[in-house]
Amino acid sequence: DGGITQSPKYLFRKEGQNVTLSCEQNLNHDAMYWYRQDPGQGLRLIYYSQIVNDFQKGDIAEGYSVSREKKESFPLTVTSAQKNPTAFYLCASSERRDGYTFGSGTRLTVV
Amino acid sequence: GENVEQHPSTLSVQEGDSAVIKCTYSDSASNYFPWYKQELGKRPQLIIDIRSNVGEKKDQRIAVTLNKTAKHFSLHITETQPEDSAVYFCAASRGMNYGGSQGNLIFGKGTKLSVKP
């Protein structure tokens, strides 16, 4: 069953802690993306990757890091430098120039 | 920078009425315009899309129109049903000006549609 899987569904971060959000797809898509969703803000692009071993900053990359060592995987690390990390994080994948398939999201809360 | 404006932010209609959501974009190189529906607590789902070489596309009760000259596109839902209640997002592809890569989308801020029985 093809799709894109995000884990965990809920994540709690303490002040000063780095956390990593997982995103895995078996759709054989080249491109993968991370978006952040805040109430009333829509979806804002954090990082994207068009191909393995390459990724680019999006509009709000500060305080985040990614890697793309495998085609199937695009993990996002929220570092301690991200001062307001509480949000809903969505991963997506696509064939070039096509619509996205989204994961089910990870809700990150700072405690 | 590139921007997508979406209106209205909230829309309430009676069941059976039509609903229209409008978006404008700033990047003249944008050539792909998808619409997503997001139910509460769930992932956005692609419901319809249109490319810049087409002016209108229809899929059952849903249609999208595109005016490239004016840089705006709209979602039309006819005969609305309570299950149409959700947040709808428009998006536009970034052109080659954005770091030389295409394919990533810039989203509007969403429209919360409520369909009253």
Side-chain angles (χ1 to χ4, degrees):
Chain A
D1 189 22
I4 181 165
T5 302
Q6 288 186 245
S7 62
K9 189 171 183 178
Y10 299 98
L11 186 57
F12 298 91
R13 192 193 95 166
K14 295 180 180 178
E15 295 284 347
Q17 188 179 42
N18 292 355
V19 292
T20 297
L21 285 59
S22 171
C23 180
E24 304 274 337
Q25 56 101 357
N26 60 5
L27 299 166
N28 201 34
H29 287 166
D30 286 318
M32 297 187 74
Y33 314 85
W34 275 104
Y35 282 84
R36 171 178 170 144
Q37 187 173 25
D38 296 282
Q41 292 292 321
L43 283 75
R44 293 182 291 168
L45 181 65
I46 305 172
Y47 267 97
Y48 66 100
S49 169
Q50 301 282 5
I51 198 168
V52 175
N53 292 322
D54 185 56
F55 50 83
Q56 305 292 331
K57 291 181 179 180
D59 301 309
I60 55 165
E62 185 174 353
Y64 301 97
S65 66
V66 294
S67 63
R68 188 85 186 276
E69 298 175 0
K70 299 186 299 181
K71 187 175 184 178
E72 303 80 17
S73 179
F74 191 41
L76 174 75
T77 296
V78 184
T79 74
S80 57
Q82 172 48 242
K83 298 306 178 188
N84 184 24
T86 295
F88 189 52
Y89 290 86
L90 285 162
C91 179
S93 69
S94 75
E95 287 297 313
R96 278 187 173 237
R97 308 176 104 176
D98 282 342
Y100 292 174
T101 298
F102 281 96
S104 55
T106 293
R107 190 165 297 280
L108 174 62
T109 304
V110 175
V111 297
Chain B
E2 297 89 353
N3 189 39
V4 174
E5 299 269 351
Q6 182 171 349
H7 299 281
S9 56
T10 60
L11 179 60
S12 182
V13 299
Q14 288 295 132
E15 182 177 0
D17 287 350
S18 295
V20 180
I21 302 170
K22 299 182 179 182
C23 290
T24 59
Y25 61 98
S26 60
D27 188 351
S28 57
S30 295
N31 58 14
Y32 175 66
F33 307 92
W35 286 88
Y36 291 85
K37 175 183 179 182
Q38 186 178 30
E39 297 177 3
L40 191 62
K42 296 189 176 180
R43 73 187 79 192
Q45 301 265 19
L46 178 69
I47 56 171
I48 195 167
D49 56 13
I50 192 168
R51 297 190 186 274
S52 57
N53 58 346
V54 175
E56 184 174 357
K57 185 176 178 180
K58 190 173 181 180
D59 182 4
Q60 300 182 342
R61 297 187 297 109
I62 295 173
V64 57
T65 58
L66 172 65
N67 183 327
K68 283 182 61 180
T69 303
K71 294 185 191 171
H72 66 70
F73 56 113
S74 301
L75 178 71
H76 305 252
I77 306 174
T78 59
E79 301 172 23
T80 54
Q81 301 167 2
E83 50 264 40
D84 294 330
S85 296
V87 178
Y88 291 80
F89 292 97
C90 64
S93 63
R94 297 185 199 248
M96 291 296 289
N97 291 336
Y98 190 77
S101 69
Q102 290 181 301
N104 72 63
L105 302 172
I106 183 166
F107 287 82
K109 293 188 176 182
T111 296
K112 184 177 181 180
L113 173 64
S114 300
V115 180
K116 299 179 179 179

